[in-house]
Structures are given as C-alpha cells and as structure tokens.
Amino acid sequence: MTLDEFVKAFAAEFDDTPEETFKPETHYRELDEWGSLVALSIISMVDDEMDKRVTGADLRNCTTIEELYNLVESK
Amino acid sequence: MNNPFSLEGKTLLVTGSSSNIGRKIAIRCAEMGAKIIVVARDEERMKATVADLAGNGHQYYAVDLSNAESIANLAEVLPVLDGVVLCAARFDSTPVKNIKRELVQDMFNTNTFANFDLIQKLLKKKKINKGGSIVFISSVASMRPYKGNSLYSATKGAINSFSKVLATELGSQRIRVNCVHPGIVPRDGGVREGALTVEQQREEMAKFPLGMGETDDIAYASVYLLSDVSKWVTGIDLIVDGGQSLI
Ligand SMILES: NC(=O)c1ccc[n+]([C@@H]2O[C@H](COP(=O)([O-])OP(=O)(O)OC[C@H]3O[C@@H](n4cnc5c(N)ncnc54)[C@H](OP(=O)(O)O)[C@@H]3O)[C@@H](O)[C@H]2O)c1
C-alpha cells in the first residue's frame, strides 16, 4: 500500500471529518473525532488491508499519518 | 481438618488451561486434590501447566476446539468427568462497521459453538457424573457494553442463555451449571499490549472499587462452583470483577 492509499484508507475510518482534512502530515490525534473507537477501526483496517498488527501504544507514539504509515511498513 | 472445598477424587476437564486464567484454575483445582485434564492447542504450554499441577494422574490433549471433528474425537477419548470448566476463548475488539463474516464465524466457533458441541457430546456419552458441575467462564463483557466488544460480548451472551436452560435440563441428575463472569484481570506474566496500552489498561483497572484483581480470584470462584459446598447452586452468574460492572 502506498502512502497516498494509506492516507485514504485512514480517512475512510472517520465518519465526521472531511476527507480533505487528511494529509500525510496531519496530526491525527488532534482531530476532534479521534478517540478509542476510531483507534480500534484503524487497528482493524491495518490488519485487514495490510495484514500487519498495530497496537494502541503505536497509535499513541506516532504523531502524523505518515509516521504511522512508516511504522506499519517497517513491521 | 475436613476441607469443604476439597476436590479429592474428582476428575475435571479444563479447556483453555494452557495459559492465564484457565491455567490458574487447573493449578488451584489440583491443589484441592482433583485430577485435571488440560485441553488447548499449544502442546508446550500445556506441558508447562501439567508440570505445575500438584499430585499426579493429570493428562493433556492438544485439540483445536474451533473444529467440530476434533471435539468429537476428544469426547470419545475423555474419561467420565466430575466437572467441566469451559474457559477456552478468543478476544476481539473490532468495531461493528469493520466486522467480516469470517471473523463472526471464527469467534462463534471458538467461544460458543465449541462449548455447545462439547457439552452435547459429553452428555450423550454419559461422561458427566451425577452430582457433577459445569462451569462456563463467561465475562462481565456479556452484561455490560464496551466499544469494540460486540462479537466477544455476543459469543458470551449466548453462553449465558445456554447455561440457564442446561441447568434446568440437568437438575434431575444433580449436575449443576453455572457461569463465572470475570472482570478484566492482568495476565499472569504481565498485561498484554492490545488496543489499549499497558498503561491505559492499568489506569482502567485502578478505577474498579476493589482495584486490580488477579487470575487467582477467578480460579477460587471456580473451585467453589466445582466443589460440593455449592451443591445447591445452579444457574447462577457469579460476577468476580472487583466491582468493575458497578461503574
Ligand atoms: N483475561 C481477562 O481479563 C478476562 C476477562 C473476562 C473474561 N475472560 C475469559 O476468561 C477466559 C480465559 O481468558 P484468558 O485471559 O486466560 O485468555 P488467554 O490467555 O487468551 O487463554 C485462552 C485459552 O484458550 C485456549 N484456546 C483459544 N482458542 C482455542 C481453540 N481454538 N482451541 C483450543 N483452545 C483454545 C488457549 O490455548 P491455546 O492458545 O494453547 O490453544 C488458552 O489456553 C476466556 O474465556 C475469556 O473470555 C478473561
């Protein structure tokens, strides 16, 4: 999965935040909609689409979507 | 001194006893004098459990309980039992909108259908002694909603309903059927990193009225339900959660 595709897939897990908000450099934990349920959705999206496991700690340790992408890719 | 909680002379099957809660149940029951049959998939971890059991005559069987054929084979080879603890299960925290049919199937196969199947076969083959005790390890999550737990909660909710009907059907044989509902307990050997960080999990557990529990709390509740002290107890929901479900 490319970084662009990852950003799209990441955005698709949100219901209220407009898609244009999501860029590789977006600080996702600062989004109003960010919370435990979206975090669970991201974990299951990464599992389904990339067959990789991220944890709650990974999501807390990264700041931007790109950082998370790089972390997932390195797994 | 006479110990009313003694399990001396009883043979007990404990599924999911290769780790954590199931393993601790096996250990405490063996201390009370029971012969334990350990069932799970991982042979090395089952051997480790057996090595930690007091007394002798314990056995283990490597069985994938999500597979119906394996369950039938297990029921065939098992001896007559005085107690069954159904503890094997898998957890999942997928939000409803991300659930897939295969996940639904696998969750129910492992957590629910395996238990229905095993009990049906044991009863049909008359492998549960009169006066015996069946203990389902359900969960507080079957009674309280937590985001992401839909499938896990549903698999356990089905167990709760099933166990009540079973209790009415087996009363005449004085076989008792009860559920234990653990709250979140730290795993032996540390908290597992999952959707919540270790730190977040500890913060959650610290909020319980009685703070953090341990696998022994669940194990001793099971000892109570397996021993003859609870001979007039059937169809109950024994919540062991430090008050988690109150908040
Ligand atoms: N820990 C908690 O905080 C908590 C809270 C509420 C309820 N519970 C319930 O308590 C029980 C034990 O939980 P735990 O935390 O001890 O879980 P665990 O450490 O994940 O252990 C699960 C056990 O089930 C076995 N198992 C899983 N799938 C199996 C399969 N397909 N066939 C055969 N065995 C299988 C595993 O053995 P193998 O991997 O070797 O097969 C393992 O022994 C579960 O029913 C759980 O739902 C736990």
Side-chain angles (χ1 to χ4, degrees):
Chain A
M1 188 183 268
T2 64
L3 174 59
D4 274 356
E5 287 164 345
F6 184 74
V7 173
K8 267 212 169 67
F10 192 98
E13 296 304 324
F14 288 72
D15 292 311
D16 296 328
T17 317
E19 205 188 324
E20 343 37 292
T21 315
F22 296 89
K23 304 272 178 316
E25 61 277 11
T26 303
H27 290 203
Y28 58 84
R29 285 185 287 113
E30 289 168 18
L31 298 170
D32 284 347
E33 202 185 335
W34 182 255
S36 64
L37 189 61
V38 184
L40 291 175
S41 303
I42 301 294
I43 291 171
S44 75
M45 178 277 284
V46 171
D47 189 355
D48 286 347
E49 318 248 325
M50 304 170 84
D51 203 18
K52 302 261 170 85
R53 252 53 64 194
V54 282
T55 65
D58 295 335
L59 292 173
R60 289 234 289 199
N61 290 337
C62 294
T63 305
T64 66
I65 300 179
E66 184 165 9
E67 258 178 76
L68 182 64
Y69 172 77
N70 290 334
L71 177 78
V72 173
E73 282 290 303
S74 72
K75 288 202 178 211
Chain B
M1 195 189 79
N2 170 41
N3 173 6
F5 293 91
S6 168
L7 299 173
E8 211 69 55
K10 294 189 194 291
T11 301
L12 309 178
L13 169 68
V14 185
T15 73
S17 41
S18 64
S19 87
N20 219 27
I21 293 178
R23 177 171 187 280
K24 197 49 80 63
I25 292 173
I27 288 173
R28 295 307 176 209
C29 289
E31 277 175 10
M32 291 293 166
K35 298 257 173 293
I36 310 294
I37 299 168
V38 171
V39 165
R41 290 164 303 185
D42 189 314
E43 211 162 324
E44 290 312 308
R45 291 195 300 162
M46 285 193 286
K47 280 186 193 160
T49 298
V50 171
D52 283 346
L53 299 180
N56 43 40
H58 312 294
Q59 305 171 55
Y60 70 86
Y61 293 102
V63 178
D64 181 353
L65 293 167
S66 65
N67 179 295
E69 210 176 307
S70 316
I71 295 174
N73 294 338
L74 174 68
E76 201 65 53
V77 297
L78 283 173
V80 176
L81 303 165
D82 302 289
V84 182
V85 183
L86 299 144
C87 186
R90 59 167 288 199
F91 180 69
D92 180 75
S93 56
T94 307
V96 172
K97 69 170 182 185
N98 296 52
I99 285 171
K100 298 214 166 43
R101 184 59 190 249
E102 301 88 82
L103 180 63
V104 177
Q105 196 67 53
D106 191 59
M107 285 295 288
F108 273 91
N109 275 345
T110 305
N111 293 8
T112 313
F113 303 154
N115 294 331
F116 293 179
D117 234 17
L118 181 58
I119 292 297
Q120 180 272 326
K121 295 203 160 50
L122 291 175
L123 292 172
K124 197 76 182 173
K125 292 181 181 304
K126 303 191 192 309
K127 286 199 172 172
I128 304 181
N129 265 330
K130 296 205 185 339
S133 171
I134 299 172
V135 177
F136 288 96
I137 304 299
S138 183
S139 174
V140 157
S142 70
M143 305 170 150
R144 299 268 306 175
Y146 299 101
K147 287 175 189 173
N149 275 6
S150 61
L151 282 182
Y152 179 72
S153 295
T155 61
K156 296 290 191 178
I159 294 286
N160 299 350
S161 312
F162 183 87
S163 70
K164 307 293 176 286
V165 176
L166 188 61
T168 66
E169 292 187 6
L170 300 184
S172 61
Q173 295 181 60
R174 305 208 73 76
I175 297 173
R176 301 176 295 104
V177 186
N178 295 289
C179 289
V180 172
H181 299 278
I184 308 174
V185 287
R187 303 170 61 76
D188 290 337
V191 187
R192 174 169 42 189
E193 186 87 320
L196 292 181
T197 64
V198 171
E199 192 190 319
Q200 283 171 317
Q201 289 181 51
R202 290 201 178 276
E203 279 166 20
E204 284 308 308
M205 293 188 274
K207 289 185 203 148
F208 303 166
L210 295 179
M212 202 144 51
E214 52 187 18
T215 51
D216 256 345
D217 294 317
I218 316 305
Y220 286 123
S222 308
V223 167
Y224 164 71
L225 290 172
L226 291 161
S227 72
D228 295 338
V229 274
S230 61
K231 68 182 170 38
W232 207 48
V233 176
T234 196
I236 70 158
D237 292 297
L238 180 51
I239 299 174
V240 185
D241 71 346
Q244 177 187 344
S245 54
L246 300 173
I247 57 176

